[in-house]
Amino acid sequence: MPLVLAATPIGDPRDASIRLRDELAGADVVAAEDTRRMRRLAAELGVELPERVVSYHEHNEASRTVDLLEAVTKGERVLLVTDAGMPSVSDPGYRFVRACVEADEELTCLPGPSAVLVALAVSGLPVDRFCFEGFLPRKGGERRRVLEELATERRTMVFFEAPHRIAVSLEVMAGVFGHDRQAAVCRELTKTHEEVRRGSLGELAEWAVEGLRGEITVVVEGAPEVVVSLDDAVAEVISRRDRGARLKDVCAAVATSTGHGKKALYDAVIAHRRSDRSD
């Protein structure tokens, strides 16, 4: 099997599988997101790496994929690993996998640690259905737009977030999803200072203002089932609007509380207004 994707420990090196140790020692080429971290992990595992250990990260994926695909085509065993967790999941790897698939080359994957699954397991939230959303956009407007599109998502949602953005992201989530929506902030999973904080988004947003460190995964409860009809939701929007609230703000709030999409609710209110004028 020329290309092997392998999950690496997300914190504790003891989580490395026996198969990972074997593949590190037996590969012709090891492609790592950070070669220094890879060598450090190998030393902790007592494994001697092959001579060819090359970097493979977001800045050289395009050019390095060509070289690695050539090695696979020649029958060399290439092991692809990232800094922590599963390659391709918010990490480099997808481009290489697509190249191998299109070239009809064989590939396999060694299962292992995943921050997404660990966070879900310890969150205390429903895990029968979930979706992974990765990192939210850095820019405020794009971040809010993405979250508004997820406002009616019924499945439990999982996000990655950087420490310096977590407070703002939680605040925006609380505003879009509702302050009472339940969530869990999982920090430094499997590491010495592992911490899982559970509560409402409003509570977590206030807590995070003090600042957090480390790798962070956020798990958010899905939207409640819609129990209010669209007509009733429109009537509620109109009632609040007549009391002086801004239409867009009211639509956002009622969408969160009823489970209807913000845009669908806004369009229905505009259509209702036009119908009243025509009468």
Side-chain angles (χ1 to χ4, degrees), residues 3 34 37 121 191 258-259 265:
L3 170 59
D34 185 325
R37 292 184 64 170
K191 300 177 184 178
T258 63
L265 194 53

Side-chain angles (χ1 to χ4, degrees), residues 114-173:
S114 166
V116 175
L117 297 182
V118 173
L120 278 165
V122 301
S123 69
L125 296 171
V127 296
D128 53 334
R129 298 177 68 236
F130 66 89
C131 60
F132 173 58
E133 295 296 327
F135 285 94
L136 289 168
R138 292 182 174 86
K139 296 182 178 179
E142 294 179 10
R143 183 193 300 121
R144 176 173 288 277
R145 178 184 57 77
V146 169
L147 290 173
E148 287 176 347
E149 290 176 354
L150 293 169
T152 57
E153 173 58 63
R154 297 286 307 282
R155 295 170 295 180
T156 297
M157 296 167 281
V158 184
F159 303 86
F160 287 160
E161 192 51 281
H164 62 283
R165 291 196 299 268
I166 184 62
V168 172
S169 290
L170 287 171
E171 182 181 0
V172 179
M173 286 181 183

Side-chain angles (χ1 to χ4, degrees), residues 120-268:
L120 278 165
V122 301
S123 69
L125 296 171
V127 296
D128 53 334
R129 298 177 68 236
F130 66 89
C131 60
F132 173 58
E133 295 296 327
F135 285 94
L136 289 168
R138 292 182 174 86
K139 296 182 178 179
E142 294 179 10
R143 183 193 300 121
R144 176 173 288 277
R145 178 184 57 77
V146 169
L147 290 173
E148 287 176 347
E149 290 176 354
L150 293 169
T152 57
E153 173 58 63
R154 297 286 307 282
R155 295 170 295 180
T156 297
M157 296 167 281
V158 184
F159 303 86
F160 287 160
E161 192 51 281
H164 62 283
R165 291 196 299 268
I166 184 62
V168 172
S169 290
L170 287 171
E171 182 181 0
V172 179
M173 286 181 183
V176 174
F177 296 156
H179 282 68
D180 294 331
R181 183 85 70 92
Q182 295 298 298
V185 176
C186 308
R187 189 180 68 84
E188 295 289 89
L189 289 170
T190 77
K191 300 177 184 178
T192 303
H193 300 292
E194 174 179 301
E195 179 180 20
V196 179
R197 188 77 171 229
R198 305 173 185 86
S200 69
L201 282 172
E203 294 168 339
L204 293 172
E206 290 182 8
W207 163 72
V209 169
E210 298 179 6
L212 300 179
R213 294 182 179 180
E215 302 287 338
I216 298 172
T217 305
V218 182
V219 185
V220 181
E221 180 184 31
E225 183 178 0
V226 176
V227 294
V228 178
S229 70
L230 182 58
D231 287 343
D232 288 343
V234 168
E236 176 65 18
V237 170
I238 293 173
S239 175
R240 295 192 192 186
R241 177 67 183 84
D242 290 344
R243 294 197 295 269
R246 291 179 67 245
L247 179 57
K248 287 188 176 181
D249 292 340
V250 173
C251 284
V254 174
T256 298
S257 63
T258 63
H260 288 289
K262 177 182 174 181
K263 185 177 185 305
L265 194 53
Y266 182 87
D267 291 344

